Amino acid sequence: MGTSILLIVFLPLLAAIVAGLGNRAIGSVPAKVITTGALFASCLLSWPIFIAFLGGDAVKSVTPVFDWIRSGDLNIAWSLRVDALTAVMLVVITSVSALVHLYSWGYMDEDPDQPRFFAYLSLFTFAMLMLVTADNIVQMFFGWEGVGLASYLLIGFWFKKPSANAAAIKAFVVNRVGDLGFMLGIFGTYLVFNTVQIDEILRLAPGMAGSTIGFLWFRADTMTVLCLLLFVGAMGKSAQLGLHTWLPDAMEGPTPVSALIHAATMVTAGVFMVCRLSPMFETSPFALTVVMTVGAATCFFAATVGLVQTDIKRVIAYSTCSQLGYMFFAAGCGAYGAAMFHLFTHAFFKALLFLGAGSVIHAMHHEQDMRFYGGLRKSIPITFWAMMMGTLAITGVGIPAVFGNELAIGFAGFHSKDAIIESAWAAGNIGASITGIIVALLTSFYSWRLMFLTFWGKPRWAASEHIQHALHAHGHDDHAHDHGHEPHHAATGDGGYHPHESPLSMLVPLILLSVGAVAAGFAFHGFFIEPASGETFWHGAVAYSEHLAHAAHEVPLMVKLSTAIVMLLGLGGAYYAYVAKPELPGAVSRAVPWLHDWLLKKWYFDELYDVLFVKPAFAFGRLFWHRGDEQTIDRFGPNGAAAFVAQGSRAAATLQSGYIYTYAFVMLIGLTALVTWAIAS
């Protein structure tokens, strides 16, 4: 396994170096071949490791790479850790990243900077692989910051686009806030345990339960302080409520970037970290309550905002935020297996939805507003069925095991989402479980709303400026008809534009991800959360509770049926509002404009942060710039010195007249002064 894990981790790095340094010198095709080939090689090496853990044929291993830091008693080695938790993340990261690389062949085909783009993708993947294979928390922090850097580069890839630059900076700054908490948590953990090795920390953590530590001028529970600081880092990286504002804006990057960030890499890092350090969190009930509360609040908030978004990618982005909330409130309830199971299934159906949205955008000439779609299921049938599979997965379509012993059958999200809701109920967190059910209703509504607006109804793209610009650029000006004939779009509603299916390089990833969206939940349900096989699979990789897993199977019948019921309610409501009565949403928004604006403005978080943080920061900047730098430092510093020298030069220049009598007069004054001084002394 040692050689395999080295290749899995470092092949993407080598590919990124070759493509990045070679850039246009090697050309687009070699860069794409090298990076995509490296990712598929890593993927093919990752699945046997995962399967070995599923079969119980593998145990935890640590592969040394080199000594990294030696300072006094601090000795940090660079090692690659592989256990069941790592194996799950390896297949998620490499599988989705490999398919995103392949998809990008078609999506980015016309971009002149393809080598740079593919180098960034591979660098991103390497950083995430470093994070999940870390054997100590400092090495984990290296990967943590690596994905932050790579996300900045990818979100702002189109750097000539002001909104992309602003989104990249926003993601970077917001994550710095979370990373400050994560760094303080790492420092505190080393201070308390005198080690950064994960195994040693988790072994010593139970013994620190009940102890106190000085923090912010008062004594507090040691493990609570450490866990909350670490969780602040998770909130930033996984876009939880309060530090979530960067995630929707990350849609300014290319669509493959959105799929990679949202499905398999950066945003799942926080969930992974909490599960990796779950024995620490188990020592602090208060910290777990905070994790559960923040997760449930994020889950609900993001789902409400997703109800009214019109940008197809933003709807899916808020869906990601909501699904991450599910994972966190599962972890807060102690159901770490269920949290990781949802992370696993979510990677497939969320990557599918994002890449499917990219295929729609590609067909609609980069139009992202769903109000200008409609009737696309006949024009792009493969994309339609792929997104249908993703929608069935995220909305949790399935048949629950209501009689106790029979096997539940459903799409990927059905198995993992139900496991979270049932585990929360079994753990006694009834409020979180009910929140999860309500969010399942909202998820069903906004997901089917996306499908109906995009693929059903009459074509509405005649009103799209993007489509009309494309038609005009190709000489198809449908507004310039002669002889009194009506424009073509007046009869068909499509403005003369005919959407086309994406190339094969984009469709193959959609088909493969559809398989995961359909089968991942059913195929792997038992290994993640079943009472017996789950304990065998995790082998101590997370704080797995067999008692909670048993209790989750004994929840009331209505809890088991609830997700299926609310899924149907959401489907029916979306169909009625956007197919049967398409005028209804407009009437509702006019009836309660304050509610529509509240949701459309995302609960006014951006506006609030603008008042609390952005404007004061700019005001301080202007104060220090104008008053401090220009009017004080520059005035009395370099500008003042330069002015003094200039004035002195001008004064001295007046004495340099060139006349002999002037110099004689100066000499006489000097001689007189010298004689006076001599007599006086």
Side-chain angles (χ1 to χ4, degrees), residues 316-406:
I316 304 173
Y318 277 106
S319 168
T320 298
C321 201
S322 182
Q323 299 304 307
L324 288 166
Y326 268 117
M327 299 174 206
F328 275 112
F329 91 64
C333 295
Y336 304 101
M340 288 304 302
F341 187 31
H342 198 53
L343 185 155
F344 181 78
T345 61
H346 175 263
F348 292 103
F349 63 72
K350 187 50 59 69
L352 175 60
L353 288 170
F354 263 117
L355 297 185
S359 185
V360 172
I361 294 167
H362 182 269
M364 297 301 293
H365 202 76
H366 305 292
E367 177 60 71
Q368 296 182 199
D369 194 326
M370 297 185 296
R371 292 173 296 183
F372 301 130
Y373 291 168
L376 287 174
R377 68 184 186 278
K378 296 179 182 178
S379 302
I380 47 175
I382 299 176
T383 300
F384 162 68
W385 283 110
M387 291 201 71
M388 177 63 76
M389 295 302 103
T391 302
L392 293 172
I394 193 174
T395 56
V397 174
I399 303 173
V402 296
F403 298 109
N405 294 322
E406 76 277 12

Side-chain angles (χ1 to χ4, degrees), residues 8-306:
I8 290 169
V9 173
F10 289 107
L11 277 176
L13 175 62
L14 293 175
I17 292 172
V18 172
L21 296 182
N23 208 295
R24 297 185 184 181
I26 64 173
S28 296
V29 174
K32 292 190 289 188
V33 170
I34 292 169
T35 53
T36 307
L39 259 298
F40 271 96
S42 292
C43 178
L44 291 174
L45 291 169
S46 297
W47 275 96
I49 295 175
F50 178 60
I51 293 170
F53 276 98
L54 289 179
D57 299 327
V59 294
K60 187 194 80 173
S61 67
V62 177
T63 303
V65 180
F66 56 83
D67 285 340
W68 187 22
I69 298 173
R70 286 183 179 271
S71 178
D73 295 333
L74 180 63
N75 182 14
I76 303 176
W78 197 288
S79 303
L80 304 180
R81 171 197 181 107
V82 179
D83 58 11
L85 187 61
T86 306
V88 172
M89 297 302 296
L90 288 179
V91 296
V92 165
I93 295 165
T94 58
S95 299
V96 173
S97 183
L99 293 175
V100 167
H101 275 71
L102 178 59
Y103 180 92
S104 300
W105 280 58
Y107 194 87
M108 302 294 291
D109 184 55
E110 298 178 0
D111 197 288
D113 289 328
Q114 292 178 67
R116 179 167 63 90
F117 179 77
F118 280 85
Y120 288 169
L121 285 183
S122 294
L123 179 65
F124 195 112
T125 308
F126 163 73
M128 192 65 193
L129 290 170
M130 285 305 312
L131 192 159
V132 301
T133 56
D135 192 40
N136 60 74
I137 53 178
V138 177
Q139 187 179 334
M140 182 185 291
F141 185 72
F142 172 85
W144 193 273
E145 292 302 295
V147 293
L149 168 64
S151 69
Y152 170 80
L153 297 173
L154 285 168
I155 295 169
F157 176 76
W158 288 321
F159 56 86
K160 295 181 180 179
K161 183 180 176 183
S163 58
N165 281 326
I169 293 171
K170 187 175 184 179
F172 198 80
V173 171
V174 173
N175 272 276
R176 296 290 69 72
V177 177
D179 290 352
L180 174 62
F182 191 39
M183 285 190 290
L184 293 175
I186 292 174
F187 298 153
T189 300
Y190 177 71
L191 177 68
V192 170
F193 296 106
N194 198 34
T195 182
V196 294
Q197 292 299 121
I198 292 174
D199 280 342
E200 192 67 12
I201 292 169
L202 300 185
R203 184 182 67 83
L204 297 172
M208 295 303 299
S211 64
T212 60
I213 189 174
F215 181 72
L216 297 179
W217 307 285
F218 63 90
R219 303 294 297 183
D221 182 79
T222 302
M223 298 309 298
T224 297
V225 170
L226 297 182
C227 291
L228 290 180
L229 288 173
L230 294 170
F231 180 61
V232 170
M235 288 176 62
K237 200 64 72 182
S238 294
Q240 293 300 283
L241 191 63
L243 296 179
H244 67 280
T245 53
W246 68 270
L247 192 62
D249 289 3
M251 298 303 96
E252 293 294 337
T255 298
V257 172
S258 304
L260 193 58
I261 291 177
H262 284 246
T265 51
M266 183 171 168
V267 296
T268 61
V271 179
F272 167 82
M273 185 266 286
V274 170
C275 291
R276 169 64 80 204
L277 303 179
S278 55
M280 284 184 67
F281 283 83
E282 285 293 303
T283 63
S284 174
F286 180 77
L288 283 178
T289 301
V290 171
V291 173
M292 179 192 67
T293 304
V294 171
T298 305
C299 199
F300 177 76
F301 155 76
T304 61
V305 174

